[in-house]
Amino acid sequence: YFFRFENITFWRTQAAADEQSDKEHGTGLIQAVIFEAADRNNIGGSAYGGQRSICCTPDLAKLEGCKQGEVIRIPSSTDSKWPMVLNIYFGGNDLSTSMGNAKVPIMKTGMYNLFFIACDPKLKGTTMSGKTVWKNPDGYLPGRMAPLKKFYVYMMIAYLLLSAIWFSQYVRFWKDILLLQHCITAVIGLGLFEMILWYFDYSNFNSTGMRPVVITTWVVTVGAIRKTLSRLLILSVSMGYGVVRPTLGGLTSKVLLLGATYFLAAELLDITEYVGTINDISGRARLFLVLPDAFLDAFLILWIFTSLSKTLEQLQVFVFSSFFFML
């Protein structure tokens, strides 16, 4: 398998370019550093046991023989070619430079990292454009996502079996169906539909390397609806709906408001995590999105158990009264 650079272009500031002569070569260096997670300590070094530095400093140049102003690279014990460092130079006083569509073969299974590093302080403020394409032996799915493709197949089979059993009984007792059972049918149907959409989303991503925004948005929306409906269904049953009370009465508006709020929180979190570029969300951003969803889940659980306790008390009173009347 491999990863490939496509149309990678670096842009330095006008001030940095003006400091150079148009006749000079190699007036700015940016290095692409590729390494396997097990070799992360082979990048950088430390002078006199102090703070570790990625770039070669004057002290490190004397101690380790590295070239000042470049990334410190220690060859791996298993493969001297790794970690791999690719050099991209600015020429003269050019504002931009490109590295071409280079392709790097990967011969060993592992988790690989790619960093673009500029040790030259004059290149502060440099920006870049372009993309990298990563391919595993089985397709374009990232390693952490690849097992989920099989998982969704198993989930589809499980939902199909559950649907077959449920719908057979649903048709058999059609005349005695309650509204709650209609809701359960909707949750099962949404779950099956969601698993099918997730599978096709991952299959398309794996075969093409592209993840259409519209399709993924539909997948996470169906998932958010299914999660919201299932939680509201459990909450309604815990309140005694369909058991000891025919309606929720004045609580209906509160339940619907909670459901709408939970749907928005779940939809926002899932869209941020799954739609668009595959990337790890920064700690603060993820915390900002996860907290509302987690808070609403905790609130729903608390409300469910509180309501269930009250419903059980009502059922106990009802059973005791019926028994006393029979005596």
Side-chain angles (χ1 to χ4, degrees):
Y1 50 105
F2 64 87
F3 72 87
R4 184 174 66 246
F5 300 97
E6 290 189 0
N7 304 317
I8 300 292
T9 304
F10 298 93
W11 305 81
R12 60 181 170 183
T13 62
Q14 185 66 55
D18 290 341
E19 292 183 11
Q20 310 299 331
S21 169
D22 59 349
K23 296 181 180 179
E24 292 182 273
H25 297 283
T27 56
L29 173 63
I30 294 177
Q31 295 177 288
V33 183
I34 309 114
F35 61 94
E36 205 259 329
D39 297 329
R40 58 185 176 275
N41 291 329
N42 290 58
I43 297 296
S46 175
Y48 311 112
Q51 185 176 0
R52 192 172 184 83
S53 174
I54 293 177
C55 296
C56 185
T57 63
D59 289 339
L60 286 170
K62 296 176 183 179
L63 290 173
E64 300 191 12
C66 57
K67 189 174 180 180
Q68 188 175 342
E70 294 187 5
V71 171
I72 302 171
R73 172 190 175 274
I74 303 171
S76 172
S77 58
T78 57
D79 190 346
S80 60
K81 295 180 181 179
W82 289 89
M84 187 176 293
V85 178
L86 304 177
N87 295 333
I88 308 102
Y89 291 96
F90 284 93
N93 58 1
D94 294 340
L95 277 173
S96 65
T97 184
S98 300
M99 67 177 300
N101 294 342
K103 184 177 179 180
V104 179
I106 306 295
M107 308 306 295
K108 185 178 73 172
T109 299
M111 182 178 291
Y112 289 83
N113 299 272
L114 167 63
F115 292 133
F116 292 102
I117 301 173
C119 294
D120 188 350
K122 294 180 181 178
L123 292 178
K124 183 178 181 180
T126 299
T127 58
M128 66 172 290
S129 62
K131 69 176 181 179
T132 58
V133 178
W134 302 68
K135 187 175 183 182
N136 286 308
D138 297 327
Y140 289 98
L141 274 176
R144 63 184 177 86
M145 297 175 66
L148 291 174
K149 184 181 175 184
K150 289 184 179 179
F151 169 76
Y152 289 124
V153 172
Y154 298 143
M155 288 300 296
M156 276 195 297
I157 295 173
Y159 266 105
L160 282 171
L161 292 175
L162 177 61
S163 299
I165 296 171
W166 177 262
F167 282 109
S168 65
Q169 299 301 311
Y170 190 82
V171 173
R172 181 182 176 186
F173 300 102
W174 173 258
K175 295 181 180 179
D176 301 319
I177 296 297
L178 301 175
L179 180 59
L180 280 175
Q181 291 164 321
H182 289 306
C183 294
I184 295 172
T185 304
V187 171
I188 295 174
L190 284 171
L192 176 60
F193 187 45
E194 181 188 3
M195 295 304 110
I196 293 172
L197 287 177
W198 273 123
Y199 174 75
F200 282 110
D201 179 58
Y202 275 55
S203 295
N204 178 73
F205 188 8
N206 192 52
S207 60
T208 65
M210 304 294 291
R211 201 176 193 188
V213 172
V214 176
I215 296 177
T216 312
T217 302
W218 269 107
V219 176
V220 298
T221 301
V222 171
I225 294 173
R226 192 262 310 163
K227 287 189 287 187
T228 303
L229 186 58
S230 61
R231 282 160 174 76
L232 294 186
L233 181 61
I234 295 173
L235 177 61
S236 299
V237 173
S238 300
M239 289 179 170
Y241 178 65
V243 181
V244 295
R245 60 197 311 182
T247 65
L248 293 178
L251 294 173
T252 303
S253 58
K254 295 180 180 179
V255 171
L256 292 177
L257 178 61
L258 178 61
T261 306
Y262 182 84
F263 170 77
L264 290 175
E267 178 81 349
L268 182 60
L269 177 61
D270 289 345
I271 284 179
T272 306
E273 286 191 341
Y274 298 110
V275 178
T277 305
I278 301 301
N279 195 9
D280 292 329
I281 306 173
S282 64
R284 289 184 180 179
R286 181 171 177 79
L287 184 64
F288 178 77
L289 293 167
V290 168
L291 275 178
D293 189 76
F295 173 78
L296 289 170
D297 260 330
F299 182 76
L300 271 165
I301 292 171
L302 181 61
W303 198 357
I304 286 169
F305 278 101
T306 303
S307 301
L308 187 60
S309 176
K310 293 180 180 179
T311 302
L312 288 174
E313 289 179 2
Q314 292 178 2
L315 285 172
Q316 287 175 351
V317 172
F318 176 76
V319 171
F320 179 76
S321 301
S322 300
F323 179 72
F324 181 77
F325 178 76
M326 288 174 64
L327 289 177

